[in-house]
Structures are given as structure tokens and as C-alpha cells.
Amino acid sequence: MKKKKKVSKVYVGMSADIIHEGHINILKIASGYGEVIVGLLTDSAISSYKKIPYLNYKRRKTIVQNIKYVKKVVPQFTLDYVENLKLIKPNYLVHGDDWKIGIQRKTRLRAIKTIKKWGGKLIEPQYTKNISSTIIKNKIREIGNSPRDRVSQLRRLLNSKNITRILESHNALTGIIIENLKFIKKNTNLEFDGMWSSSLTDSATKGKPDNSSVDFSSRISSLNEMMDVTSKPLVFDADNGGQIEHLPFLIRSLERAGVSSIIMEDKIGLKRNSLFNDQKNTQQDKPETFAKKIKKVCESRFSDDFLVIARIESFILGKGLNDAIRRAEIYSKSGADAILIHSKEKTPKQIFAFAKKFKKSKNFIPLVSVPSTYSRVYEKDLVNNGFKLVIYANQLLRAAYPAMENAAKSILKNGRAYEIDKKIIPIKKIINLIKND
Ligand code: SPV
Ligand code: MG
């Protein structure tokens, strides 16, 4: 009997979020060396170093496995190739030569070292110039993403990241900062995952107190301005959600705008910001009554990806752990997707005690933290204590206000603008900040 020639195994790792001719070129070249196995990066693997992909793993897999050059698709759970390479032991590893520099440089070196062990070869076709998923993604962002895609992003982030990081945004410009800011630390691309539409900073921006005097229509019109220039998800601070009969209308407007989540707090009566010391006129809602609001949101939402987060104010109002836990159980059972356990202590002790106890419950759902007063807490400690979402609720407005006041003061003091000129962004930079073409 004639011995069948063994076909070589060729490994190609990719995200394949937006397929373009560069991917096809790589796969075509790879197929010339043998049978192509694509290691498709999972959502978690991708979001460990850059923005979560537009299409989820399942959708990307369907596309890639139907490309004629591809024999098989397997998940690649990390940015690092070593695990899959050891498992598959390919004769060839094919990757565009763009990974020689930048964030993937070390990943490449580790992959080379690994395949050397069984004599595997690295093939690096030249990177297709002027085309990349990032270029296409930027173009898409200019057009704007569909509200439906944006709504689902937060749930996907919660499912794929250790911790999802949200920052307060009170206008379109702060939205742009959150959208674009990147910081590379230890080979990881850090960025904010989304925006928080805060009742406090939205009201303050409009010169009003945080007592619901800025109505939802006005809040939604400012968040629409942020939505116009960003693609990341937005979490809406709805105070106590207002009247239960009005909730379906609010949810409809939020979903239509592309908002990913509503957070409602279990307080009643005239709204007072939770960080005020004096809370003596503030009342907490009966948990059973508040639970009805949660149910109402669940019934009225168009998409299950629109998350309802219940915010427990027990600690703010001086009540104990047992009250907070009892409420968490009730809110979870009535359909909440996550719990924001609020606190105005200087340390996270209180919320960690809550997390420890609630984690044991069969009704446990992901936890959200707002570290405004306990700002020393590190994200890694929040993760270790079971928190999945962190909201930095007011820092951009707090940064902007003293800077603006200082500039105004300097002009008054000096009788001219020269002194402050060197300390503020140059005119040239500000006119070029927003692209015109
Ligand atoms: C907000 O940012 O408006 C909040 C958080 O609700 S807090 O100010 O702590 O109440
Ligand atoms: Mg608020």
C-alpha cells in the first residue's frame, strides 16, 4: 500500500474582526504550505490588549471557517501563541511581518522559540500596506456605529474582561477623550471601556444641583451629543428611575440612543446626592417596591443586552450589611443584571464585606463599584473581591473646573492673557483637535 504523504500543519493566529484583503493574502500564502488552522482570538484575548471586537467570537468563527483557504478554526484564548502552538505543533506559523515591532514583539519572540523545539518554521509575508482593521475601524467610527451594536457592547465587555472600566463624561469633548485615550503599560494597551452619564456632573455642567432638576429629556439630549462622536458603550445614571409608569418611555429613548445600561438607586423622595454627609431627609425605597421597577425595566427593554443595574444605598443611609444583602437578593431575583453597592467610606472595607457575603449566594450577580471616596483602591483589588465594573464617576469634571477657574483668575490678576497662555493648550492644537475633513 502506498504511504499517504503527511500534509503539513500551518498555524495562523488572528482576530478577524473586520476581514480585509490583508487577511485573505495571509491565508492564501499559508494554504500554500499545507492545511491552515486558524487560531481565532477569543473576545477575552482581544480585549486583554485592545478594544473588544465588533463581532463576537461565534460570528467571527462562522466567517473565517468559510474562507476557502481555511481547514479548521480553533480558539486562541490568549494573545500569546505558545499554548496553542504546543498543542498543535504546526510545521509552519504564518503571520504578517507587522508584529516585529510594537505590542506583539515579545509574543513573536516567544512563538519563534516554541516552534523551534520541533523544527517549525516562521513565515512572515509582507504586511499589506495602507489597509488594516484599525484603519477600517476608524472609518466606521467616523460614520458612527449602530445603536444596536453599541447597546450589546457592555454585556460583552463584562463577559470577557476581568474588569470593565468606565469614566464620567459630561459632554461630547470628554466623550472624545474617553474614546481615544490610550496608555501602554507593560505591553498592554490600557483604555477606558465606556462612559458614565452622571446625574451629578451632567447637572453641574448645566449649573444645576444634583436633585433631578435636570429632567431626562435634557439628560438624553446631552448624551446624544456624546453618542454622535464616540463608539464606546454608555452607562446611564437614572437616579431612582422616576415614576414606574414612565420607565418604559425612558428605556425606549435610552435604547434608541444606543445606551447599554441603566443604573437605578433605591431611594425615594427629593433626590439628594449620595456623597452629602447629611442624609437625614433621604429615604430608601421598600425593596419590594424597588424590585417592581427592576422588573418593569426588564419587561420594557427591547434587547436583553440592555443591562439593568440596581444600586443599593443602604450603606449611604447608615444601614448595615444585612439590609444591603437582603436587598441584593431581592433585586437579583427580580431580574437585575448587576448590583452597584454604593459607599461613602474612605476605604473599600464595607463594600468588600458585602461582596464576600453576597458571593456565597445562589443569586449572586456581578458587582459594580464607584470609588469616589475610597479612591485609593486599586482595580486589581476590586477584581480580587468579585467586582466586574468600576465607574470613575466625576473625575473629568473635577479636573476641568479648577483648571478653567485658574485660567480666568490669571487673566483678571494680570490684566492680560499672556501669563496663562503657556499653561494651556495652544490655539493651533485646539483648532486641530477635531478633524475637519
Ligand atoms: C453620580 O455620578 O451622579 C452618581 C454617583 O450617582 S454619586 O455622586 O456618588 O452619587
Ligand atoms: Mg447620580
Side-chain angles (χ1 to χ4, degrees):
M1 208 171 72
K2 225 173 145 189
K3 231 184 166 183
K4 225 174 150 189
K5 200 170 167 256
K6 234 179 143 198
V7 186
S8 293
K9 284 194 271 187
V10 189
Y11 190 83
V12 182
M14 52 174 58
S15 303
D17 190 18
I18 297 170
I19 294 276
H20 51 73
E21 61 270 41
H23 293 107
I24 302 296
N25 181 42
I26 295 279
L27 292 170
K28 187 177 175 186
I29 293 172
S31 70
Y33 289 90
E35 279 181 355
V36 176
I37 303 162
V38 169
L40 190 64
L41 270 72
T42 59
D43 287 3
S44 304
I46 296 173
S47 58
S48 73
Y49 77 105
K50 63 179 182 184
K51 235 175 108 181
I52 194 157
Y54 282 105
L55 302 183
N56 65 25
Y57 181 83
K58 204 168 146 215
R59 293 170 78 186
R60 290 182 287 117
K61 184 176 174 191
T62 305
I63 296 167
V64 176
Q65 72 190 5
N66 282 292
I67 296 175
K68 69 175 180 183
Y69 303 117
V70 176
K71 178 78 181 167
K72 195 174 157 190
V73 179
V74 298
Q76 183 172 316
F77 294 102
T78 53
L79 174 61
D80 196 273
Y81 282 54
V82 173
E83 195 185 315
N84 270 8
L85 292 176
K86 278 188 180 162
L87 213 69
I88 294 164
K89 296 205 168 47
N91 307 86
Y92 298 95
L93 169 64
V94 180
H95 197 291
D97 66 354
D98 54 317
W99 72 337
K100 284 184 180 168
I101 47 167
I103 210 156
Q104 295 215 62
R105 200 177 64 85
K106 285 195 183 139
T107 310
R108 174 180 179 267
L109 297 177
R110 269 199 299 276
I112 294 174
K113 203 169 145 194
T114 309
I115 55 174
K116 232 186 196 163
K117 289 181 192 149
W118 55 87
K121 285 202 180 82
L122 174 64
I123 313 289
E124 290 178 313
Q126 201 185 25
Y127 179 69
T128 313
K129 287 211 175 65
N130 300 327
I131 182 81
S132 76
S133 303
T134 310
I135 296 173
I136 299 176
K137 277 182 187 171
N138 287 342
K139 288 267 175 242
I140 292 175
R141 218 176 62 210
E142 281 166 22
I143 303 166
N145 54 357
S146 82
R148 205 176 127 233
D149 283 345
R150 189 184 323 224
V151 170
S152 64
Q153 269 188 42
L154 187 69
R155 187 184 286 282
R156 292 181 51 220
L157 282 162
L158 290 176
N159 288 340
S160 48
K161 289 191 78 161
N162 275 345
I163 189 130
T164 298
R165 195 182 289 120
I166 302 287
L167 180 60
E168 170 262 322
S169 177
H170 52 272
N171 60 25
L173 195 59
T174 50
I176 288 175
I177 293 177
I178 295 168
E179 181 76 22
N180 295 333
L181 189 74
K182 288 186 174 47
F183 184 77
I184 296 179
K185 188 170 149 192
K186 291 189 192 147
N187 244 1
T188 308
N189 213 340
L190 296 173
E191 55 183 291
F192 288 97
D193 298 302
M195 300 170 279
W196 165 241
S197 165
S198 148
S199 67
L200 170 64
T201 69
D202 203 5
S203 308
T205 307
K206 292 171 170 50
K208 302 246 170 87
D210 183 16
N211 64 1
S212 297
S213 50
V214 178
D215 63 21
F216 285 142
S217 307
S218 164
R219 297 274 314 280
I220 290 170
S221 106
S222 6
L223 79 82
N224 267 321
E225 290 176 2
M226 299 186 234
M227 297 310 222
D228 271 352
V229 294
T230 59
S231 66
K232 291 185 177 178
L234 183 139
V235 179
F236 186 73
D237 171 7
D239 294 337
N240 68 6
Q243 285 202 190
I244 189 163
E245 294 82 359
H246 300 165
L247 265 175
F249 303 103
L250 173 64
I251 302 306
R252 194 186 300 170
S253 304
L254 293 176
E255 274 190 281
R256 197 174 46 226
V259 170
S260 299
S261 171
I262 184 177
I263 298 195
M264 292 189 302
E265 60 201 43
D266 57 0
K267 284 195 302 208
I268 43 171
L270 179 66
K271 157 83 199 280
R272 195 171 170 73
N273 183 280
S274 302
L275 303 179
F276 271 120
N277 274 337
D278 175 12
Q279 296 285 342
K280 66 174 180 294
N281 291 324
T282 313
Q283 269 184 42
Q284 207 169 8
D285 205 350
K286 286 201 195 86
E288 294 74 18
T289 316
F290 187 69
K292 286 191 184 138
K293 285 189 177 176
I294 297 170
K295 279 200 188 120
K296 188 56 122 192
V297 176
C298 295
E299 284 160 18
S300 9
R301 64 187 168 187
F302 177 71
S303 153
D304 284 350
D305 286 335
F306 178 87
L307 305 180
V308 48
I309 302 179
R311 164 168 159 180
I312 297 176
E313 294 281 293
S314 305
F315 292 146
I316 297 289
L317 301 176
K319 298 188 187 163
L321 180 59
N322 287 343
D323 183 78
I325 292 285
R326 188 168 69 91
R327 286 168 178 275
E329 294 282 348
I330 295 172
Y331 302 164
S332 168
K333 277 196 259 179
S334 57
D337 296 290
I339 295 285
L340 189 174
I341 180 70
H342 206 17
S343 164
K344 55 180 164 57
E345 295 288 297
K346 291 216 163 59
T347 76
K349 241 164 104 182
Q350 204 173 36
I351 63 156
F352 285 176
F354 171 89
K356 196 169 165 200
K357 194 155 182 195
F358 189 42
K359 249 193 271 178
K360 293 184 191 133
S361 162
K362 65 175 192 310
N363 297 313
F364 179 77
I365 44 177
L367 296 177
V368 182
S369 153
V370 178
S372 295
T373 52
Y374 53 94
S375 57
R376 278 173 199 268
V377 73
Y378 284 108
E379 289 169 359
K380 64 176 174 10
D381 296 322
L382 291 172
V383 174
N384 290 339
N385 282 278
F387 286 80
K388 287 291 275 181
L389 187 75
V390 55
I391 300 177
Y392 297 99
N394 44 47
Q395 286 73 11
L396 289 190
L397 187 67
R398 284 167 58 203
Y401 185 81
M404 291 193 281
E405 198 182 42
N406 188 37
K409 230 186 241 169
S410 169
I411 297 172
L412 283 184
K413 188 172 138 198
N414 297 296
R416 61 176 187 175
Y418 178 76
E419 284 72 17
I420 197 68
D421 245 359
K422 327 182 249 315
K423 296 182 186 147
I424 55 184
I425 180 171
I427 292 173
K428 202 170 156 197
K429 213 164 165 190
I430 199 89
I431 55 177
N432 286 312
L433 191 66
I434 314 291
K435 285 201 199 81
N436 206 358
D437 46 15

